[in-house]
Amino acid sequence: MVTVKEPTAGTMAARTAVILFVFVIVFTGLLAGAYQWTLPAIQASATEEKMKLVNEVLPTASYDNDLLHDTLALAPTPELGLEEPSTVFRARMGGAPAALVLEAVAPDGYAGKIRLILAVQADGRVAGVRVTQHKETPGLGDYVEPKKDRNKERPWITQFNGLSLATLAEKEWKVKKDGGHFDSNAGATVTPRAVVKAVKKAVAYVDAHRDELFAAADKNAADRK
């Protein structure tokens, strides 16, 4: 009669380790394959979302270049309220500067930071502003976001359209409650006050750095050559 030798604890542990190792390798390979397969769709979706935001603040008829390939990387910029790197999209018409699309942050919203995207034309006028992220009180301070604003014909955020440092005096860049130009809803002035301040700072930043922002080398274009 042949006696079958039972595997030792060490042998069992080694087998288990090998099986787990093979499982991890196979699973990782499948994940990597799935990621590579879906990457084009993910990138296309991200590009589409970027252009949706850009198109909300800058009419497509105002430029003829590819904004996604004419960009400038900004380091963290305190003037814009940005603590992390950001991207500036540069619009051109016939090769001439048309507008800059950039991000900004209002750090002093009622419930925290309010993230913005805005377009400033080459002559310094605001083409459009949108709130991209906030935690303001629903039904009270969230009217700075167009889809939450009850005034659908003229949302609050559109008050910035066409304004510049040249057309609106510095003291006017405040809500009316503080003696300025901008309307605000009764009982909810903290949020618009923060947005107005952030937009003014962003417009001033563009005014001070316009030539530098437009003239900087397009690294993406250089990479494509």
Side-chain angles (χ1 to χ4, degrees), residues 115-165:
R115 303 192 69 89
L116 310 166
I117 184 172
L118 66 155
V120 182
Q121 298 176 346
D123 62 3
R125 291 181 295 122
V126 176
V129 182
R130 288 294 183 275
V131 172
T132 60
Q133 186 178 30
H134 70 87
K135 297 180 181 178
E136 302 306 282
T137 307
L140 187 61
D142 62 351
Y143 63 91
V144 296
E145 186 181 351
K147 66 181 181 181
K148 302 290 182 62
D149 196 332
R150 295 179 181 177
N151 187 346
K152 300 303 180 183
E153 293 185 5
R154 187 175 179 270
W156 181 88
I157 201 74
T158 62
Q159 292 182 82
F160 296 101
N161 295 3
L163 298 180
S164 70
L165 297 181

Short mmCIF file of all heavy atoms in Angstrom, two decimals, residues 115-165:
data_model
loop_
_atom_site.label_atom_id
_atom_site.label_comp_id
_atom_site.label_asym_id
_atom_site.label_seq_id
_atom_site.Cartn_x
_atom_site.Cartn_y
_atom_site.Cartn_z
N ARG A 115 -15.30 77.84 -7.66
CA ARG A 115 -14.43 77.75 -8.83
C ARG A 115 -15.14 78.35 -10.05
O ARG A 115 -16.34 78.13 -10.25
CB ARG A 115 -14.04 76.30 -9.11
CG ARG A 115 -13.33 75.62 -7.93
CD ARG A 115 -12.72 74.30 -8.34
NE ARG A 115 -11.59 74.51 -9.24
CZ ARG A 115 -10.33 74.69 -8.81
NH1 ARG A 115 -10.04 74.68 -7.51
NH2 ARG A 115 -9.36 74.88 -9.69
N LEU A 116 -14.36 79.08 -10.83
CA LEU A 116 -14.91 79.79 -11.97
C LEU A 116 -14.12 79.51 -13.24
O LEU A 116 -12.94 79.16 -13.18
CB LEU A 116 -14.88 81.31 -11.72
CG LEU A 116 -15.44 81.85 -10.42
CD1 LEU A 116 -15.01 83.30 -10.24
CD2 LEU A 116 -16.96 81.75 -10.42
N ILE A 117 -14.78 79.70 -14.37
CA ILE A 117 -14.09 79.77 -15.65
C ILE A 117 -14.60 81.04 -16.31
O ILE A 117 -15.80 81.35 -16.24
CB ILE A 117 -14.36 78.52 -16.53
CG1 ILE A 117 -13.54 78.60 -17.81
CG2 ILE A 117 -15.84 78.37 -16.84
CD1 ILE A 117 -13.59 77.33 -18.65
N LEU A 118 -13.70 81.80 -16.92
CA LEU A 118 -14.12 83.03 -17.56
C LEU A 118 -13.30 83.29 -18.81
O LEU A 118 -12.18 82.78 -18.96
CB LEU A 118 -14.00 84.22 -16.62
CG LEU A 118 -12.61 84.64 -16.15
CD1 LEU A 118 -12.63 86.13 -15.77
CD2 LEU A 118 -12.18 83.84 -14.92
N ALA A 119 -13.88 84.05 -19.71
CA ALA A 119 -13.21 84.44 -20.94
C ALA A 119 -13.07 85.95 -20.94
O ALA A 119 -14.04 86.67 -20.68
CB ALA A 119 -14.00 83.97 -22.16
N VAL A 120 -11.85 86.41 -21.22
CA VAL A 120 -11.58 87.84 -21.30
C VAL A 120 -11.06 88.14 -22.69
O VAL A 120 -10.08 87.53 -23.14
CB VAL A 120 -10.53 88.27 -20.25
CG1 VAL A 120 -10.30 89.78 -20.33
CG2 VAL A 120 -10.97 87.87 -18.84
N GLN A 121 -11.73 89.03 -23.38
CA GLN A 121 -11.34 89.36 -24.74
C GLN A 121 -10.04 90.14 -24.77
O GLN A 121 -9.59 90.69 -23.76
CB GLN A 121 -12.46 90.14 -25.43
CG GLN A 121 -13.75 89.33 -25.55
CD GLN A 121 -14.89 90.12 -26.15
OE1 GLN A 121 -14.83 91.34 -26.26
NE2 GLN A 121 -15.95 89.41 -26.53
N ALA A 122 -9.43 90.23 -25.95
CA ALA A 122 -8.14 90.88 -26.09
C ALA A 122 -8.19 92.35 -25.69
O ALA A 122 -7.17 92.92 -25.28
CB ALA A 122 -7.64 90.74 -27.53
N ASP A 123 -9.36 92.97 -25.78
CA ASP A 123 -9.48 94.38 -25.40
C ASP A 123 -9.81 94.55 -23.92
O ASP A 123 -10.06 95.66 -23.46
CB ASP A 123 -10.53 95.08 -26.25
CG ASP A 123 -11.93 94.50 -26.08
OD1 ASP A 123 -12.10 93.57 -25.26
OD2 ASP A 123 -12.86 94.96 -26.78
N GLY A 124 -9.83 93.43 -23.16
CA GLY A 124 -10.05 93.51 -21.73
C GLY A 124 -11.47 93.31 -21.28
O GLY A 124 -11.74 93.24 -20.07
N ARG A 125 -12.41 93.21 -22.22
CA ARG A 125 -13.81 93.01 -21.85
C ARG A 125 -14.10 91.55 -21.52
O ARG A 125 -13.56 90.65 -22.15
CB ARG A 125 -14.74 93.47 -22.98
CG ARG A 125 -14.75 94.96 -23.21
CD ARG A 125 -15.69 95.37 -24.32
NE ARG A 125 -15.26 94.84 -25.60
CZ ARG A 125 -16.00 94.04 -26.37
NH1 ARG A 125 -17.21 93.66 -25.97
NH2 ARG A 125 -15.54 93.60 -27.53
N VAL A 126 -14.96 91.35 -20.55
CA VAL A 126 -15.37 90.00 -20.17
C VAL A 126 -16.34 89.46 -21.20
O VAL A 126 -17.35 90.10 -21.51
CB VAL A 126 -16.03 89.98 -18.78
CG1 VAL A 126 -16.53 88.59 -18.43
CG2 VAL A 126 -15.05 90.46 -17.71
N ALA A 127 -16.05 88.28 -21.74
CA ALA A 127 -16.95 87.65 -22.71
C ALA A 127 -17.99 86.79 -21.99
O ALA A 127 -19.13 86.65 -22.45
CB ALA A 127 -16.16 86.80 -23.70
N GLY A 128 -17.60 86.20 -20.86
CA GLY A 128 -18.52 85.36 -20.11
C GLY A 128 -17.87 84.78 -18.88
O GLY A 128 -16.65 84.65 -18.81
N VAL A 129 -18.69 84.44 -17.90
CA VAL A 129 -18.22 83.84 -16.65
C VAL A 129 -19.19 82.71 -16.28
O VAL A 129 -20.40 82.84 -16.46
CB VAL A 129 -18.19 84.86 -15.48
CG1 VAL A 129 -17.66 84.20 -14.22
CG2 VAL A 129 -17.36 86.08 -15.84
N ARG A 130 -18.65 81.61 -15.78
CA ARG A 130 -19.48 80.53 -15.28
C ARG A 130 -18.87 79.96 -14.00
O ARG A 130 -17.65 79.91 -13.84
CB ARG A 130 -19.60 79.39 -16.30
CG ARG A 130 -20.45 79.72 -17.51
CD ARG A 130 -21.92 79.91 -17.15
NE ARG A 130 -22.74 80.14 -18.32
CZ ARG A 130 -22.94 81.34 -18.87
NH1 ARG A 130 -22.34 82.41 -18.35
NH2 ARG A 130 -23.72 81.48 -19.92
N VAL A 131 -19.74 79.56 -13.09
CA VAL A 131 -19.32 78.86 -11.88
C VAL A 131 -19.24 77.38 -12.22
O VAL A 131 -20.21 76.80 -12.73
CB VAL A 131 -20.32 79.10 -10.73
CG1 VAL A 131 -19.99 78.22 -9.53
CG2 VAL A 131 -20.32 80.57 -10.33
N THR A 132 -18.10 76.77 -11.95
CA THR A 132 -17.93 75.35 -12.28
C THR A 132 -18.04 74.44 -11.07
O THR A 132 -18.29 73.25 -11.20
CB THR A 132 -16.56 75.11 -12.96
OG1 THR A 132 -15.51 75.51 -12.07
CG2 THR A 132 -16.46 75.92 -14.24
N GLN A 133 -17.84 75.00 -9.88
CA GLN A 133 -17.93 74.18 -8.66
C GLN A 133 -18.16 75.09 -7.46
O GLN A 133 -17.53 76.14 -7.33
CB GLN A 133 -16.64 73.38 -8.47
CG GLN A 133 -16.69 72.39 -7.31
CD GLN A 133 -15.40 71.58 -7.21
OE1 GLN A 133 -14.33 72.05 -7.57
NE2 GLN A 133 -15.50 70.37 -6.72
N HIS A 134 -19.07 74.68 -6.60
CA HIS A 134 -19.34 75.46 -5.38
C HIS A 134 -20.10 74.59 -4.38
O HIS A 134 -20.60 73.51 -4.71
CB HIS A 134 -20.16 76.71 -5.71
CG HIS A 134 -21.58 76.41 -6.11
ND1 HIS A 134 -22.61 76.26 -5.20
CD2 HIS A 134 -22.14 76.21 -7.33
CE1 HIS A 134 -23.73 75.99 -5.83
NE2 HIS A 134 -23.48 75.94 -7.12
N LYS A 135 -20.21 75.10 -3.16
CA LYS A 135 -20.97 74.42 -2.11
C LYS A 135 -21.92 75.40 -1.44
O LYS A 135 -22.25 75.25 -0.27
CB LYS A 135 -20.01 73.81 -1.08
CG LYS A 135 -19.09 72.73 -1.63
CD LYS A 135 -18.18 72.18 -0.56
CE LYS A 135 -17.24 71.12 -1.11
NZ LYS A 135 -16.30 70.60 -0.06
N GLU A 136 -22.35 76.39 -2.20
CA GLU A 136 -23.23 77.42 -1.64
C GLU A 136 -24.61 76.86 -1.31
O GLU A 136 -25.04 75.85 -1.87
CB GLU A 136 -23.33 78.59 -2.60
CG GLU A 136 -21.99 79.23 -2.94
CD GLU A 136 -21.21 79.66 -1.71
OE1 GLU A 136 -21.53 80.71 -1.14
OE2 GLU A 136 -20.26 78.94 -1.31
N THR A 137 -25.29 77.52 -0.42
CA THR A 137 -26.57 77.04 0.09
C THR A 137 -27.61 76.91 -1.03
O THR A 137 -27.91 77.89 -1.72
CB THR A 137 -27.12 78.00 1.16
OG1 THR A 137 -26.12 78.20 2.16
CG2 THR A 137 -28.39 77.45 1.78
N PRO A 138 -28.17 75.72 -1.22
CA PRO A 138 -29.20 75.52 -2.25
C PRO A 138 -30.39 76.44 -2.02
O PRO A 138 -30.88 76.59 -0.90
CB PRO A 138 -29.59 74.04 -2.07
CG PRO A 138 -28.38 73.41 -1.47
CD PRO A 138 -27.82 74.45 -0.54
N GLY A 139 -30.84 77.08 -3.08
CA GLY A 139 -32.01 77.94 -2.99
C GLY A 139 -31.72 79.31 -2.41
O GLY A 139 -32.62 80.15 -2.30
N LEU A 140 -30.47 79.58 -2.03
CA LEU A 140 -30.14 80.87 -1.44
C LEU A 140 -28.98 81.52 -2.18
O LEU A 140 -29.14 82.51 -2.88
CB LEU A 140 -29.81 80.72 0.05
CG LEU A 140 -29.61 82.03 0.83
CD1 LEU A 140 -30.89 82.85 0.80
CD2 LEU A 140 -29.22 81.72 2.28
N GLY A 141 -27.79 80.93 -2.04
CA GLY A 141 -26.62 81.53 -2.69
C GLY A 141 -26.22 80.87 -3.99
O GLY A 141 -25.31 81.34 -4.66
N ASP A 142 -26.92 79.79 -4.36
CA ASP A 142 -26.50 79.08 -5.56
C ASP A 142 -27.03 79.70 -6.85
O ASP A 142 -26.85 79.15 -7.94
CB ASP A 142 -26.91 77.61 -5.49
CG ASP A 142 -28.42 77.42 -5.39
OD1 ASP A 142 -29.14 78.43 -5.22
OD2 ASP A 142 -28.87 76.27 -5.49
N TYR A 143 -27.65 80.89 -6.76
CA TYR A 143 -28.14 81.54 -7.98
C TYR A 143 -27.00 82.06 -8.86
O TYR A 143 -27.24 82.51 -9.99
CB TYR A 143 -29.11 82.68 -7.65
CG TYR A 143 -28.53 83.84 -6.87
CD1 TYR A 143 -27.97 84.94 -7.53
CD2 TYR A 143 -28.55 83.86 -5.48
CE1 TYR A 143 -27.45 86.01 -6.82
CE2 TYR A 143 -28.04 84.91 -4.76
CZ TYR A 143 -27.49 86.00 -5.43
OH TYR A 143 -26.99 87.06 -4.71
N VAL A 144 -25.77 82.01 -8.37
CA VAL A 144 -24.63 82.40 -9.21
C VAL A 144 -24.39 81.37 -10.31
O VAL A 144 -23.64 81.62 -11.24
CB VAL A 144 -23.35 82.57 -8.35
CG1 VAL A 144 -23.53 83.72 -7.37
CG2 VAL A 144 -22.99 81.30 -7.62
N GLU A 145 -25.02 80.21 -10.17
CA GLU A 145 -24.94 79.17 -11.19
C GLU A 145 -26.18 79.29 -12.08
O GLU A 145 -27.31 79.19 -11.58
CB GLU A 145 -24.90 77.80 -10.52
CG GLU A 145 -24.67 76.65 -11.46
CD GLU A 145 -24.66 75.31 -10.71
OE1 GLU A 145 -24.68 75.31 -9.47
OE2 GLU A 145 -24.65 74.28 -11.40
N PRO A 146 -26.03 79.53 -13.37
CA PRO A 146 -27.17 79.80 -14.26
C PRO A 146 -28.33 78.81 -14.16
O PRO A 146 -29.48 79.20 -14.13
CB PRO A 146 -26.54 79.77 -15.66
CG PRO A 146 -25.14 80.20 -15.43
CD PRO A 146 -24.76 79.58 -14.11
N LYS A 147 -28.01 77.52 -14.09
CA LYS A 147 -29.11 76.54 -14.07
C LYS A 147 -29.89 76.56 -12.76
O LYS A 147 -30.98 76.02 -12.67
CB LYS A 147 -28.57 75.14 -14.34
CG LYS A 147 -27.65 74.58 -13.29
CD LYS A 147 -27.18 73.19 -13.70
CE LYS A 147 -26.27 72.56 -12.65
NZ LYS A 147 -25.79 71.22 -13.05
N LYS A 148 -29.32 77.18 -11.73
CA LYS A 148 -30.01 77.30 -10.44
C LYS A 148 -30.69 78.67 -10.29
O LYS A 148 -31.47 78.87 -9.38
CB LYS A 148 -29.01 77.12 -9.29
CG LYS A 148 -28.26 75.79 -9.30
CD LYS A 148 -29.16 74.64 -8.96
CE LYS A 148 -28.38 73.32 -8.94
NZ LYS A 148 -27.31 73.29 -7.92
N ASP A 149 -30.36 79.59 -11.20
CA ASP A 149 -30.92 80.94 -11.14
C ASP A 149 -32.35 80.94 -11.67
O ASP A 149 -32.61 80.41 -12.77
CB ASP A 149 -30.04 81.88 -11.97
CG ASP A 149 -30.31 83.35 -11.68
OD1 ASP A 149 -31.44 83.69 -11.28
OD2 ASP A 149 -29.37 84.16 -11.84
N ARG A 150 -33.26 81.51 -10.92
CA ARG A 150 -34.65 81.55 -11.35
C ARG A 150 -34.86 82.50 -12.52
O ARG A 150 -35.84 82.37 -13.26
CB ARG A 150 -35.54 81.96 -10.18
CG ARG A 150 -35.55 80.95 -9.02
CD ARG A 150 -36.41 81.43 -7.88
NE ARG A 150 -36.39 80.47 -6.78
CZ ARG A 150 -37.02 80.67 -5.61
NH1 ARG A 150 -37.73 81.78 -5.42
NH2 ARG A 150 -36.95 79.75 -4.66
N ASN A 151 -33.97 83.47 -12.67
CA ASN A 151 -34.07 84.41 -13.78
C ASN A 151 -33.39 83.79 -15.00
O ASN A 151 -32.18 83.91 -15.20
CB ASN A 151 -33.39 85.73 -13.41
CG ASN A 151 -33.61 86.80 -14.46
OD1 ASN A 151 -34.04 86.52 -15.58
ND2 ASN A 151 -33.31 88.04 -14.11
N LYS A 152 -34.15 83.12 -15.81
CA LYS A 152 -33.60 82.40 -16.96
C LYS A 152 -33.30 83.34 -18.13
O LYS A 152 -32.47 83.04 -18.98
CB LYS A 152 -34.56 81.30 -17.42
CG LYS A 152 -34.85 80.25 -16.35
CD LYS A 152 -33.57 79.58 -15.86
CE LYS A 152 -33.85 78.55 -14.79
NZ LYS A 152 -32.61 77.94 -14.24
N GLU A 153 -34.00 84.48 -18.19
CA GLU A 153 -33.77 85.42 -19.28
C GLU A 153 -32.45 86.18 -19.12
O GLU A 153 -31.76 86.45 -20.09
CB GLU A 153 -34.93 86.42 -19.37
CG GLU A 153 -36.25 85.78 -19.78
CD GLU A 153 -37.34 86.83 -19.97
OE1 GLU A 153 -37.03 88.04 -19.86
OE2 GLU A 153 -38.48 86.43 -20.22
N ARG A 154 -32.13 86.50 -17.87
CA ARG A 154 -30.88 87.22 -17.61
C ARG A 154 -30.30 86.72 -16.28
O ARG A 154 -30.44 87.36 -15.25
CB ARG A 154 -31.13 88.73 -17.53
CG ARG A 154 -29.84 89.55 -17.43
CD ARG A 154 -30.15 91.05 -17.48
NE ARG A 154 -28.93 91.84 -17.37
CZ ARG A 154 -28.42 92.27 -16.23
NH1 ARG A 154 -29.03 91.99 -15.08
NH2 ARG A 154 -27.31 92.99 -16.21
N PRO A 155 -29.64 85.57 -16.32
CA PRO A 155 -29.04 85.01 -15.11
C PRO A 155 -28.07 86.00 -14.47
O PRO A 155 -27.42 86.79 -15.16
CB PRO A 155 -28.31 83.76 -15.63
CG PRO A 155 -29.05 83.38 -16.87
CD PRO A 155 -29.45 84.68 -17.49
N TRP A 156 -27.95 85.92 -13.16
CA TRP A 156 -27.08 86.84 -12.42
C TRP A 156 -25.67 86.89 -12.98
O TRP A 156 -25.07 87.96 -13.11
CB TRP A 156 -27.03 86.41 -10.94
CG TRP A 156 -26.19 87.34 -10.11
CD1 TRP A 156 -26.58 88.48 -9.49
CD2 TRP A 156 -24.79 87.19 -9.85
NE1 TRP A 156 -25.52 89.06 -8.85
CE2 TRP A 156 -24.40 88.29 -9.05
CE3 TRP A 156 -23.83 86.24 -10.20
CZ2 TRP A 156 -23.09 88.48 -8.60
CZ3 TRP A 156 -22.50 86.43 -9.77
CH2 TRP A 156 -22.16 87.54 -8.98
N ILE A 157 -25.11 85.74 -13.33
CA ILE A 157 -23.71 85.66 -13.74
C ILE A 157 -23.43 86.41 -15.03
O ILE A 157 -22.29 86.76 -15.32
CB ILE A 157 -23.29 84.17 -13.89
CG1 ILE A 157 -21.76 84.01 -13.80
CG2 ILE A 157 -23.84 83.57 -15.17
CD1 ILE A 157 -21.21 84.17 -12.42
N THR A 158 -24.48 86.72 -15.82
CA THR A 158 -24.27 87.42 -17.09
C THR A 158 -24.04 88.91 -16.91
O THR A 158 -23.76 89.61 -17.89
CB THR A 158 -25.47 87.22 -18.04
OG1 THR A 158 -26.66 87.77 -17.43
CG2 THR A 158 -25.71 85.74 -18.31
N GLN A 159 -24.12 89.41 -15.68
CA GLN A 159 -23.87 90.84 -15.43
C GLN A 159 -22.44 91.25 -15.80
O GLN A 159 -22.16 92.43 -16.04
CB GLN A 159 -24.11 91.17 -13.96
CG GLN A 159 -25.55 91.09 -13.52
CD GLN A 159 -25.70 91.50 -12.06
OE1 GLN A 159 -25.77 92.68 -11.75
NE2 GLN A 159 -25.74 90.52 -11.18
N PHE A 160 -21.53 90.28 -15.84
CA PHE A 160 -20.13 90.59 -16.14
C PHE A 160 -19.88 90.79 -17.63
O PHE A 160 -18.89 91.41 -18.01
CB PHE A 160 -19.23 89.45 -15.64
CG PHE A 160 -19.24 89.27 -14.15
CD1 PHE A 160 -20.00 88.26 -13.57
CD2 PHE A 160 -18.51 90.12 -13.33
CE1 PHE A 160 -20.01 88.09 -12.19
CE2 PHE A 160 -18.52 89.96 -11.95
CZ PHE A 160 -19.27 88.94 -11.37
N ASN A 161 -20.76 90.26 -18.46
CA ASN A 161 -20.55 90.30 -19.91
C ASN A 161 -20.36 91.73 -20.41
O ASN A 161 -21.18 92.62 -20.15
CB ASN A 161 -21.73 89.66 -20.64
CG ASN A 161 -21.86 88.19 -20.33
OD1 ASN A 161 -21.12 87.62 -19.54
ND2 ASN A 161 -22.83 87.54 -20.96
N GLY A 162 -19.28 91.95 -21.14
CA GLY A 162 -19.01 93.25 -21.74
C GLY A 162 -18.30 94.24 -20.85
O GLY A 162 -17.91 95.32 -21.31
N LEU A 163 -18.10 93.90 -19.58
CA LEU A 163 -17.45 94.82 -18.66
C LEU A 163 -15.93 94.66 -18.71
O LEU A 163 -15.40 93.61 -19.04
CB LEU A 163 -17.94 94.59 -17.24
CG LEU A 163 -19.43 94.82 -16.98
CD1 LEU A 163 -19.76 94.56 -15.52
CD2 LEU A 163 -19.82 96.25 -17.36
N SER A 164 -15.23 95.72 -18.36
CA SER A 164 -13.77 95.70 -18.28
C SER A 164 -13.33 96.71 -17.24
O SER A 164 -14.14 97.49 -16.72
CB SER A 164 -13.16 96.05 -19.64
OG SER A 164 -13.38 97.43 -19.95
N LEU A 165 -12.05 96.72 -16.95
CA LEU A 165 -11.53 97.70 -16.00
C LEU A 165 -11.62 99.11 -16.57
O LEU A 165 -11.63 100.09 -15.82
CB LEU A 165 -10.07 97.37 -15.66
CG LEU A 165 -9.83 96.03 -14.95
CD1 LEU A 165 -8.34 95.85 -14.66
CD2 LEU A 165 -10.63 95.95 -13.65
#
